[in-house]
Each structure stands twice: as structure tokens, then as C-alpha cells.
């Protein structure tokens, strides 16, 4: 097997020094900064089919997108409600949640997050944190 690397040049930048950073940009959903961690947290898209979530992201939290855009959000709940608490939310234009940041209430937390709009489930994910 032969592996070939092809270099690509950048044009139009001869007079500028490129800005180099090792930090991730802020995590923003619908204009709300959910995280400014330089490590770049994972935001799980609960509007799509996901495997069971077993690990936390940066900051020992879980971040979920519960709406596909910023026009219409979802009414979000998790069961049992004592398994996690809301740290931050991003809201869609209709005032409903578009994304949530949850802090599990223990290292073995287990809960189902559900987002509904007009009585229809639009986001769902199961969390069972691994020990």
C-alpha cells in the first residue's frame, strides 16, 4: 500500500502571519455560549438516534442539542428528574430550549432525556454513566 501526502498552499496570505491556536472556539448554540473550554466539549445531538451515553464531556457535564435549528425549540425533561440538574440552556426563537447542559447528580447517574414539541417527541437519549 502506498500512502501519498499532498501539500496544499494557501494563497493571498503572503503579507499576513497566520494566527495559531491550540484552543477550541467557544461552544455556541442559538447565540448562547454553552462552554468556553479550550478543550472543546462534545455536544450530543439528541434529535438523532444515539447510543446510550456513558461518559461526561469537558467540565463533567453532558451537553445535548434538543432542536434541529433555532426557530423552534423543545420542552425538555429527564426522568428521574433527580438524576441531573440544569446548568445552562440555549433557547430557540419560540422561547423553548434548543440545547441543554446537564450536571449528573452522581458518578453512576442514569436517566432518559426527552424533548417534545406539540406533543411529539423530537429529541430523546438514554444516559447510563459508566463507573
Amino acid at each position: 500500500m502506498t500512502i501519498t501526502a499532498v501539500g496544499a498552499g494557501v494563497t493571498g496570505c503572503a503579507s499576513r502571519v497566520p494566527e495559531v491556536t491550540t484552543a477550541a472556539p467557544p461552544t455556541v448554540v442559538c447565540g448562547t455560549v454553552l462552554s468556553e473550554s479550550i478543550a472543546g466539549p462534545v455536544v450530543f445531538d439528541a434529535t438523532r438516534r444515539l447510543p446510550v451515553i456513558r461518559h461526561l464531556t469537558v467540565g463533567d457535564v453532558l451537553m445535548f442539542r434538543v432542536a434541529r435549528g433555532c426557530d423552534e425549540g423543545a420542552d425538555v425533561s429527564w426522568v428521574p428528574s433527580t438524576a441531573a440538574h440544569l446548568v445552562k440552556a440555549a433557547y430557540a426563537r419560540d422561547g423553548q430550549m434548543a440545547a441543554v447542559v446537564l450536571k449528573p447528580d452522581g458518578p453512576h447517574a442514569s436517566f432518559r432525556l426527552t424533548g417534545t414539541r406539540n406533543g411529539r417527541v423530537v429529541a430523546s437519549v438514554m444516559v447510563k454513566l459508566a463507573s
Side-chain angles (χ1 to χ4, degrees), residues 15-93:
S15 65
R16 301 175 89 190
V17 176
E19 183 178 319
V20 178
T21 180
T22 57
T27 302
V28 179
V29 174
C30 298
T32 299
V33 176
L34 298 180
S35 173
E36 294 189 61
S37 170
I38 62 171
V42 173
V43 179
F44 296 104
D45 187 349
T47 68
R48 306 205 183 269
R49 183 178 297 274
L50 292 172
V52 173
I53 305 303
R54 300 202 178 276
H55 303 283
L56 301 173
T57 191
V58 174
D60 293 331
V61 296
L62 294 164
M63 294 186 187
F64 297 105
R65 190 161 225 337
V66 294
R68 293 245 171 125
C70 294
D71 290 330
E72 295 181 312
D75 182 30
V76 179
S77 62
W78 51 95
V79 176
S81 61
T82 57
H85 63 273
L86 183 67
V87 174
K88 197 167 199 179
Y91 292 90
R93 287 181 190 89

Side-chain angles (χ1 to χ4, degrees), residues 83-125:
H85 63 273
L86 183 67
V87 174
K88 197 167 199 179
Y91 292 90
R93 287 181 190 89
D94 67 355
Q96 296 292 322
M97 294 178 179
V100 294
V101 179
L102 299 177
K103 177 81 170 177
D105 285 340
H108 305 290
S110 178
F111 59 92
R112 173 166 294 283
L113 175 133
T114 305
T116 59
R117 182 173 44 248
N118 299 325
R120 198 174 118 248
V121 175
V122 294
S124 180
V125 64

